[in-house]
Every structure is written in C-alpha cells, then in structure tokens.
Amino acid sequence: MMTKDPYHLIDNYKTIPGVYDELYDFDGQIRNKYKFLVKSFQELGPAELINRRRDTDRILRENGVTYNLYQSEQREAKERPWELDLFPLVMESEEWRILERGLNQRADLLDALIRDVYSKRRLLYEKKIPAEILFNETSFLRACDGMYESNQFLAKNPALMFFVCDLIRASDGNFYVLNDRVQAPSGSGYSLENRIVLSRIFPSMYRDAMVHRVAVYFRSLRKSLTQLSGVSGREPLIVLLTPGPSNETYFEHAYLAGYLGYTLVQGEDLTVRKNKVYMKTVEGLQQVDLILRRVDDDFMDPLELKGDSLLGIPGLLESVRSGNVKIANPIGTGFLENRALLPFYSELCRFYLGEDLILPMAPTYWLGNNQQFQLVLQNPEKYVFKTVSRTDEELPVTFVELSGQRKDVFLEKLRQAPKRFIAQEMIQSATVPVLGENGFRPGRAIMRTFVSSSGSGYQTMAGGLVRVSPSLDDFFITSQRGAWSKDLWVLSTETQKEESLLVPKSDQILISRKSSGVPSRVADNLFWLARYLERSENQTRVIREAVFKILQVEDGYEKESLENILKLVTHVTNSYPGFLGDDSGELFANPFPELQRLTVDKNIVGSLGFHLRSLVLASKSVRDRLSDDMKKILLHLEDQSSYGIESYDQIIDFLQKIIVNLSSLTGLSFENMSRESGWYFLNLGRRIERSINMILMLQGMIQWKSFEDKSSFETFLRISDIRLTYNRRYSGKIDQESVLDILLFDTSNPRSLAYQLEQINADLQFLPGKDKKTVYSEDRAALQLYTHFKMKDISIFFESESPLTAVSIWLEELHGYLRLLSESLSARYFNYTEEQTRIGDTNG
C-alpha cells in the first residue's frame, strides 16, 4: 500500500549526489514546473492514486497494449503488458525549444548525409569518415546506390520522412544524443497511447497543466505521407508494412494503421507486377502508392537484399527506382544507424550544414581508429562497448559487469576486430520520480523523441516516450529489459486547442461507401477466425452438456445417455481413442481427467483450449479490423484460457464464461461490423463451420444409436439451444423425425442446417469480383451443395426402412460439398499464384 499520509508522497524520495534530478534542483527544492503536479497528486491521496493505477492497468490491458519480449528458449515472442508510470516527465516550453531546434537540425543533417552516401559520396572524397565505415558495413546497400539521383521525386523532396532520437540528460543538465533510429523507428504509437490514457486518468490535471497536444504531429505526418505519395486527383493507397504479430511492437503497427487510416499489410499481401507494387486483395490487385514500413532494410526485397527473407516483396527495389512506389523511410536509410558514424557527427554537421551541432553526442569512439582504441583501453571502465551494426548479436557490455576470464575474453575480442566496436562514455542518466507503493522514488530515464517531415522542413512531436528503469542500478534502459514508460508533457504558456486528425473544412472529402480492399491474408484470417469461434462454441456446449449429465448420473440417472455424450466429446474434439477406445471403461468410470484435459490443455490438437488459442492467434492477425469491444472480448478469452480447473463445478463455471464471451463476439460481429467484403468471409466461415459441426454431431449420434432414447434427444436439443422451442411446438412429446426436422430442415431455427445453407447462398452473392455472366467455382460448389440438400425432406427419409442410415449417408455427401466449397473459396480469394519465370536454361 502507498503511504497513508497524502502529504508525504515525496518523503522517501532521495536524490543521488552529483546526478541531475528532474524533480529537485541542486538546492533540494522542487522545481517550479513540478509543483502543480506534486500538489495535485498529494491532494488525490494514496487511496485514490491506487484506484487510478488500477484504472490505468485496466485500460492498457483492455486496449491490448503490449510489448513482445524475445526469449531465446522460446520459439514465439512473449507478450508483456505495457507498463505506464502515472507521473509524467515535464518540460517547459523554453527548455523544449532548444531540444526542438537541435532535433530539427539533426533531421536536416541525416537527410543530407543519406543523400550523399548513395550519390556523390563527398564525405569520402573530403575524408570526413574513414572508407571502412562505409564499405565494410552491411547497412550500406549497394543495391540502393544512385537511387536518390535516378528517382526524380526523391531528388526534389526530403528522403528522410521521420526518425527518432534517444536522448539522455547528464549531470550538467544538458541533453546528449545516444543514438538514432531511422529505418523502422518505433515508439510514437506507444507515446500516443500513453498520452490518451493519462489524459483520461487525470482529465482536469491534464487540462489545467496546459500541455502541448501530440495529435498535431500525426496530422503533419499523414499530410507529409500523402504528399510523398505523389498522387493527385484521388486518395492515395498507403499501406503500413509490418513483420507480423510476433514482432515486438506489433501493437503499435496495428494501432497506428487504424489511427492514421492506412491498411495494415504483411509482405505476403504485396506483389510486384510489371514493375509496380500491388496489394493482393479479395477485390483483385490494387496498386500501392506508398509503403510506410516497419520492416528493416535487409528484409525488404529478397530478390536483391536478404535472399531468405519472408517479410519483404521480391522486385520492390526496382519498382522504387522506377518511381512507381514510394517508401517511408527509403530503403538504405539503415546506414544512418551505423554506430561508427556517431563520433563524426559534429564534423559532418559543419560539413553539410555549415553549423555547429546543437545537440552534442555522448562522447563516442570508433575502435577502428588505433589512436582512439588506445585511448579507450587506458580506462575501459568508463565506457559501454557496442557493436557498430545493430544487427550484430553481440550485446552491449561494460567492464564494470565483467570480471576475470570474461574480461580477458572480451578484450581479446576487441583486439581481434576493433572495427566492429565503438566505445561510448557512460553518462549517469538523470533520475526521475516514479510512483511506487510508498510514494515517489527515483528511477533512471532515457527520452525518445520523434521528428517528421512537414511542408516547411521538419517538425518535432511536442512530447515523447520516456523509458524508465525503476532500479537505480540499471545502466541499460530498454523495453526488452523490462523498462517502464512515462509520458512527456511539454508545457505551454497558453491553453492548447484540441487537435485531431480531422481535415480542415477547406479540404474536400469525396463521399464514399466503399473502403480500400481487404488483403487476401486478412480475409483468410477472418474466415478462420469465424470457424475457430464456431468450433470453440460447439465444443463448449458439448463438454458442458457432458458435465451436466455426469452430475445427474452421479445421482443414479441415465448412464447410457452419459456414455453417448462422452463419446460425442471425443468425436467433436477429434481426440481419439478417448471415450471410444478399448479402455473407455476406465474413462467412463472416472471421466474428469479426460474432460479437464480436453477443456484447458492448449497442446492437444482439437481440444477446446487449442481452438481458443487458435481463435486468439487468428484475431491478432486482423487486429486492425476488429472493434475495441471485440478486442476486449478476445482479451477475456485469452485470459480465461489460463483458467485452473480442479472440479466439475469449475469446469461448468469456465465453460459458462467461454460461452458468454463467444456469444458476445458473435453478436458484436453481427451488430458492429460494416457489411464490407471482410464481413462476408467472416460470416461464410461461421456458416460453413456450423454446418460441419451439425453434420459431425448427428453422424456420431446416429453411429452410436443415441437416437433410440429420449434423453439423448433432449441432450442434442440443448446443445443446439433449441430445446425450449421444440417443447413449445410439440408439447413435450419427442421422436426422431421431429428432432431431425428441427435440426436439419427448419429455416426458423438459426442453428439448423437449412438456415446455414441459405445464409451461405445469400453471402456468396456479395463477394467481390463477381460477373453475373460467369459461374465461379465457389458458386458451383454452393449450388451442388444446396441442390443436394433441397432434394431431400425429413419425410422422404422416414419412408425408407433405415431412415437414420440414409440420413447419415446423405450427411456425409453434404460434408463433401462443404469441404469443396471451402476449398473453392480458399483457391479463389485467399491464394494468389505468382507468375513464375525460369531463370537460366532448362537444365537449371
């Protein structure tokens, strides 16, 4: 718990002698810029701060804000909830203006540098950097040489559209640059989310503090990207390219795509045809004008760069050279992240801009220079050693943490390959207040700032992302190492007006009831998301009914009916032999372990836990297509999938929650999703899977002769959620013919097979790319399915000697047509076959 006295939040806060502290000045007084915030936090009191901490965690969790951690022992990245400290870092306008000028100057410098590197290379002829830094570094891409001269648009406009700069405040109170991120910089989306959350948690405090808005940065960025696309007379097609859901900052990719209104794509969604980049959508190929990328240089084009990359688009570089597509930031800008450049920036600034560098670098030495190498080795404890290349797997290291043989081994590594390393002087980072259990305590911080191109140069976001380590012993402050985050508040001298992405009235928007195309991968994932949803709900209902039956039988009732429903559990989960095996007698005697396993074990293919995990994974691939409410429901499902079960009552409680959430998800998809092509694939997946589930369950019940007793009839009606309707309609009487009729042929029953097939036929008419004069494979499969179904009626079956056998054979035929329909949809809409060109002679 926090301290009980609301006026003593700062009593436990201890500054470090000789280290700059953001909260206290060197005289031990609270800085003026923090007095309002400290007073406001004190007045809230510890109890209210605890409540707001909980609200913050809840909002971040509900919004799905995560950061994926890479762990060597695991194949998949582990999601870590985003940690946001409630107390912001504050900067006054005058202080910020100095940083802003320095950051804008740095943007001009980086833009001039990257243009020179890939064109005239004056910095080599004038001997501003050693040639080894350029030509021995893999981040210099020879395939991009001359691109800024051959591409007329790049020649006339800024090459660098945005970059981020990591800063540290030293003991003298000045900021020093640690490094830049250019090719696929992250953090702006997290910064925006931090701001939205804090303004919601402290609305009056945020308003009264007169904080500069950050939305203007994103509005400027979107406007610049629109101009960069070079399109006039129509809305450009801009896509945000992500490596995929396993990337550490995937949340941010989906978040920014939705916020900026761009289509989120992966490499497989794009293709190059006739030197132009197209997005593969269910509506057909759509030409892409600009790619806002979150994929590093090397992976962007496997044809000319990293040959085994699955994240990029073959032929992309040639399309860029031809000016048919723009990339932000351009491929090749990764060279600006070469750490060997850091010691030379002061001289390069004077060389390119004729100015002194406003923001100094943290003292850095390239060990490829023998003089600097010897200087560093005189006192190596002063430095942190990093590799020149960010792609190098060698982690940063300090001599403080090395001892004995480890130190000798690393020294030998430096001597063997000095050009591979830089040494950066360790600067004691400023301490910042972190709100802990007992009030404020100091933590160390690094500040990430964001700069983007604007119509008149560069613009810096009036805010940023502060990463803070709660432990004062941590020198490396990164999100991968578990750092928390803070919002950066830049104070204004006057009340700020609200900023948003709404366009000015002067900009005309053409009304459209059509969205940009749905990538084939997205349609595929929506289709299977619905199928996993239906499969999970069906299994939940079957297992729940089995548990209900067990609790009844324990009182001495309906043992035969129990065995039938347990067999159905094995059948629908495809977990053979299970309750259908030779040793089923033991399982019937004690079914709990098997039911527990099939309910929560995610590693059993076909189990409920497995399909719930598959549902969540499919949803993450289409995160930008789902509403906030749907994402919250999916989050609940993900949380519940780790539920511990030790009794039948806990199984029922777990299954009940799953059914409610799955039903909510289905309802939201019906009521909240617009009827665009993506929705029809979602609904088709639902109808196909529900049809298959009905067929499989009926076939199983017929096979085990379950339809020979009344109890099994009632069980099946409860699973299908039609028991009450059936009782009202038939006054409590029950027989085979009427049960099969309401399950198979009654179109008023939304779970009947007839209802599903009618919905399938209706939805197929709304799929894109339809020509009324053409019969497509999916239409043909659906027609065969529907015709075969309509040829029968329940009365026809019961005129035969073995009606249930006839029904089972007929259902198997329908199952075959449903599989054919699913395959036809996949072949036509989800799979794009690229044009193949043989290189070389026929002998390879």
Side-chain angles (χ1 to χ4, degrees):
M1 295 291 291
M2 290 181 184
T3 177
K4 294 181 179 179
D5 190 341
Y7 297 98
H8 291 82
L9 288 174
I10 58 176
D11 276 7
N12 295 325
Y13 192 85
K14 305 297 182 183
T15 61
I16 302 174
V19 175
Y20 187 94
D21 185 76
E22 290 287 347
L23 184 60
Y24 284 101
D25 61 24
F26 287 109
D27 294 326
Q29 302 298 313
I30 294 179
R31 300 183 190 275
N32 289 331
K33 61 183 178 181
Y34 280 107
K35 287 181 178 178
F36 167 74
L37 281 179
V38 171
K39 182 175 181 294
S40 299
F41 270 68
Q42 288 175 334
E43 290 174 348
L44 286 173
E48 182 58 28
L49 287 175
I50 290 174
N51 289 335
R52 301 205 185 191
R53 169 77 267 172
R54 289 172 179 163
D55 288 342
T56 299
D57 292 340
R58 175 182 55 78
I59 293 169
L60 290 170
R61 184 67 177 145
E62 287 180 349
N63 290 351
V65 188
T66 58
Y67 185 91
N68 295 340
L69 298 178
Y70 293 123
Q71 298 175 324
S72 57
E73 67 273 12
Q74 295 183 0
R75 292 180 60 187
E76 296 180 357
K78 179 183 177 182
E79 282 191 353
R80 178 173 72 88
W82 188 249
E83 297 281 358
L84 171 61
D85 183 55
L86 297 185
F87 197 76
L89 184 68
V90 176
M91 196 170 293
E92 293 176 321
S93 289
E94 285 300 320
E95 190 177 22
W96 178 253
R97 287 193 187 99
I98 298 174
L99 272 182
E100 191 174 35
R101 287 199 301 271
L103 290 168
N104 290 346
Q105 180 201 54
R106 195 168 187 84
D108 289 329
L109 170 60
L110 294 176
D111 185 75
L113 174 58
I114 198 65
R115 287 179 177 281
D116 186 31
V117 163
Y118 286 108
S119 55
K120 298 178 180 178
R121 286 189 278 279
R122 292 170 52 219
L123 77 171
L124 292 185
Y125 292 112
E126 299 289 336
K127 297 183 180 179
K128 299 302 178 185
I129 67 169
E132 303 98 298
I133 292 179
L134 184 67
F135 294 120
N136 290 352
E137 171 55 27
T138 58
S139 61
F140 173 70
L141 304 180
R142 288 167 173 77
C144 296
D145 192 38
M147 187 178 294
Y148 297 94
E149 295 177 315
S150 62
N151 188 310
Q152 294 183 358
F153 194 90
L154 283 177
K156 298 178 182 178
N157 293 275
L160 192 69
M161 292 303 299
F162 45 78
F163 85 104
V164 305
C165 184
D166 288 334
L167 303 167
I168 193 170
R169 196 197 285 265
S171 57
D172 60 5
N174 294 320
F175 283 100
Y176 291 84
V177 174
L178 291 180
N179 53 252
D180 308 295
R181 292 287 182 268
V182 179
Q183 41 183 342
S186 64
S188 61
Y190 290 104
S191 178
L192 175 61
E193 180 69 13
N194 284 352
R195 176 62 57 86
I196 291 173
V197 172
L198 279 193
S199 63
R200 182 173 165 184
I201 295 297
F202 302 117
S204 58
M205 194 186 305
Y206 176 72
R207 182 185 62 250
D208 295 343
M210 296 192 299
V211 182
H212 276 284
R213 308 299 191 229
V214 297
V216 64
Y217 168 85
F218 295 96
R219 189 177 66 184
S220 174
L221 174 63
R222 190 171 70 173
K223 184 177 180 180
S224 296
L225 291 174
T226 300
Q227 293 174 345
L228 176 65
S229 69
V231 174
S232 60
R234 64 172 176 84
E235 193 69 22
L237 179 54
I238 300 176
V239 299
L240 193 154
L241 178 64
T242 173
S246 62
N247 185 259
E248 57 188 4
T249 57
Y250 178 73
F251 158 78
E252 181 180 65
H253 304 166
Y255 183 63
L256 285 178
Y259 189 76
L260 296 171
Y262 300 153
T263 301
L264 186 67
V265 299
Q266 296 179 32
E268 63 187 278
D269 298 327
L270 304 178
T271 184
V272 175
R273 304 283 179 90
K274 297 181 179 179
N275 224 17
K276 296 180 180 179
V277 177
Y278 292 91
M279 180 169 64
K280 299 181 286 187
T281 76
V282 292
E283 291 88 355
L285 296 177
Q286 297 185 3
Q287 186 175 349
V288 174
D289 300 300
L290 185 142
I291 299 173
L292 174 60
R293 68 182 175 109
R294 287 294 183 267
V295 175
D296 285 349
D297 282 348
D298 286 345
F299 299 90
M300 287 294 289
D301 185 349
L303 195 62
E304 297 192 53
L305 302 173
K306 188 174 173 60
D308 59 350
S309 169
L310 299 177
L311 305 179
I313 309 98
L316 177 63
L317 270 176
E318 187 58 33
S319 182
V320 172
R321 292 188 194 100
S322 304
N324 293 328
V325 69
K326 314 298 189 306
I327 311 288
N329 278 326
I331 302 172
T333 50
F335 178 74
L336 296 175
E337 297 177 1
N338 181 355
R339 296 187 180 110
L341 292 171
L342 298 179
F344 301 94
Y345 272 128
S346 294
E347 179 62 26
L348 289 173
C349 187
R350 288 187 288 269
F351 177 64
Y352 287 116
L353 305 182
E355 304 169 354
D356 288 330
L357 201 60
I358 297 174
L359 287 177
M361 296 294 309
T364 306
Y365 304 92
W366 177 54
L367 302 188
N369 181 301
N370 187 58
Q371 184 178 358
Q372 294 187 5
F373 183 55
Q374 297 303 324
L375 174 67
V376 167
L377 288 188
Q378 290 177 13
N379 194 1
E381 288 78 11
K382 288 176 53 180
Y383 304 97
V384 55
F385 295 88
K386 303 177 183 178
T387 57
V388 166
S389 173
R390 279 188 58 224
T391 60
D392 198 312
E393 294 183 358
E394 186 85 33
L395 294 176
V397 66
T398 65
F399 268 58
V400 176
E401 61 184 332
L402 295 178
S403 60
Q405 185 178 3
R406 291 179 61 208
K407 183 182 292 186
D408 294 336
V409 169
F410 188 74
L411 274 172
E412 182 60 27
K413 190 179 293 185
L414 292 179
R415 293 190 178 98
Q416 290 294 327
K419 296 177 182 178
R420 184 183 161 206
F421 294 91
I422 63 158
Q424 195 168 63
E425 191 171 311
M426 289 193 290
I427 297 177
Q428 289 276 8
S429 64
T431 52
V432 298
V434 178
L435 187 60
E437 293 181 354
N438 297 304
F440 293 130
R441 58 191 171 93
R444 296 192 182 276
I446 288 178
M447 187 169 68
R448 173 160 286 193
T449 54
F450 306 93
V451 183
S452 74
S453 173
S454 66
S456 56
Y458 287 95
Q459 176 171 313
T460 300
M461 178 197 291
L465 178 66
V466 181
R467 288 169 291 173
V468 57
S469 172
S471 171
L472 293 174
D473 297 328
D474 289 343
F475 179 78
F476 300 107
I477 307 171
T478 67
S479 298
Q480 278 292 324
R481 291 175 181 254
W484 292 9
S485 70
K486 275 180 173 290
D487 192 15
L488 172 61
W489 286 11
V490 179
L491 304 183
S492 172
T493 54
E494 57 185 21
T495 303
Q496 292 289 291
K497 66 178 182 178
E498 292 294 332
E499 297 284 357
S500 73
L501 291 188
L502 294 175
V503 299
K505 292 182 179 179
S506 57
D507 292 348
Q508 182 181 5
I509 295 180
L510 298 177
I511 300 299
S512 173
R513 293 189 175 95
K514 214 178 146 186
S515 66
S516 60
V518 177
S520 303
R521 174 191 53 83
V522 171
D524 192 6
N525 278 291
L526 286 171
F527 181 77
W528 279 100
L529 184 151
R531 295 196 65 169
Y532 285 128
L533 191 157
E534 280 297 322
R535 204 171 290 179
S536 299
E537 182 179 347
N538 184 63
Q539 290 180 352
T540 302
R541 292 180 179 278
V542 172
I543 296 173
R544 183 181 64 169
E545 196 60 34
V547 176
F548 283 152
K549 189 68 67 176
I550 289 169
L551 297 178
Q552 291 175 358
V553 171
E554 286 180 346
D555 293 332
Y557 299 101
E558 302 171 340
K559 186 173 182 180
E560 183 179 352
S561 178
L562 169 61
E563 292 185 358
N564 287 332
I565 188 63
L566 289 175
K567 290 176 183 178
L568 187 60
V569 169
T570 296
H571 187 58
V572 299
T573 57
N574 199 30
S575 55
Y576 296 97
F579 293 105
L580 288 164
D582 295 336
D583 59 347
S584 58
E586 296 179 11
L587 293 180
F588 285 137
N590 181 23
F592 179 78
E594 180 73 359
L595 291 176
Q596 179 192 45
R597 193 175 71 98
L598 295 177
T599 300
V600 295
D601 194 334
K602 303 173 187 176
N603 297 316
I604 300 175
V605 177
S607 69
L608 175 59
F610 176 86
H611 286 123
L612 287 174
R613 183 177 67 174
S614 300
L615 168 64
V616 170
L617 289 175
S619 72
K620 289 180 179 179
S621 294
V622 293
R623 178 184 175 86
D624 58 313
R625 302 276 168 167
L626 305 178
S627 69
D628 290 339
D629 289 333
M630 293 179 76
K631 284 185 259 191
K632 289 175 184 176
I633 297 295
L634 286 160
L635 183 62
H636 292 325
L637 286 169
E638 188 173 9
D639 290 341
Q640 288 164 356
S641 65
S642 301
Y643 195 87
I645 289 177
E646 301 297 335
S647 67
Y648 285 123
D649 287 339
Q650 288 181 341
I651 289 183
I652 291 175
D653 181 60
F654 171 75
L655 296 176
Q656 199 63 43
K657 291 176 180 177
I658 294 296
I659 284 181
V660 169
N661 281 308
L662 291 175
S663 299
S664 299
L665 197 58
T666 300
L668 288 170
S669 69
F670 264 101
E671 297 299 327
N672 292 11
M673 289 185 72
S674 58
R675 297 312 191 252
E676 297 173 347
S677 56
W679 183 87
Y680 288 104
F681 288 104
L682 184 79
N683 203 37
L684 280 167
R686 175 186 298 119
R687 301 306 172 188
I688 290 174
E689 188 63 34
R690 188 172 287 187
S691 300
I692 292 174
N693 289 336
M694 178 65 73
I695 289 172
L696 291 176
M697 287 196 298
L698 283 173
Q699 285 180 314
M701 299 296 275
I702 291 172
Q703 177 185 348
W704 310 312
K705 300 182 180 179
S706 301
F707 283 138
E708 294 181 2
D709 70 284
K710 177 182 176 182
S711 180
S712 292
F713 279 139
E714 292 175 338
T715 296
F716 209 93
L717 290 171
R718 281 193 295 270
I719 292 173
S720 301
D721 206 18
I722 198 67
R723 179 77 172 103
L724 292 177
T725 301
Y726 184 91
N727 282 346
R728 286 195 302 268
R729 187 175 295 178
Y730 296 105
S731 303
K733 300 175 184 178
I734 193 165
D735 68 0
Q736 294 177 352
E737 187 171 354
S738 58
V739 169
L740 289 173
D741 180 70
I742 200 170
L743 295 176
L744 291 174
F745 296 102
D746 187 352
T747 55
S748 67
N749 174 13
R751 290 187 175 273
S752 73
L753 185 58
Y755 187 89
Q756 312 315 314
L757 299 187
E758 286 195 352
Q759 290 295 308
I760 288 172
N761 275 336
D763 289 345
L764 286 174
Q765 308 310 310
F766 291 95
L767 294 186
K770 294 283 190 179
D771 183 347
K772 293 182 180 179
K773 298 179 181 178
T774 305
V775 179
Y776 298 94
S777 58
E778 69 273 12
D779 298 322
R780 190 176 296 107
L783 181 61
Q784 290 174 311
L785 170 65
Y786 194 66
T787 302
H788 197 72
F789 175 81
K790 296 299 284 185
M791 292 290 289
K792 298 291 185 180
D793 186 83
I794 195 63
S795 59
I796 297 175
F797 288 114
F798 278 84
E799 290 172 357
S800 64
E801 292 183 3
S802 302
L804 294 182
T805 302
V807 168
S808 184
I809 295 172
W810 175 69
L811 289 174
E812 183 58 35
E813 293 168 347
L814 293 177
H815 191 187
Y817 287 127
L818 282 164
R819 286 197 299 265
L820 179 60
L821 173 60
S822 178
E823 292 166 1
S824 298
L825 287 169
S826 177
R828 176 160 152 75
Y829 289 105
F830 307 152
N831 299 326
Y832 265 79
T833 304
E834 300 290 337
E835 297 176 4
Q836 302 293 321
T837 302
R838 179 180 292 277
I839 299 178
D841 59 32
T842 55
N843 295 323

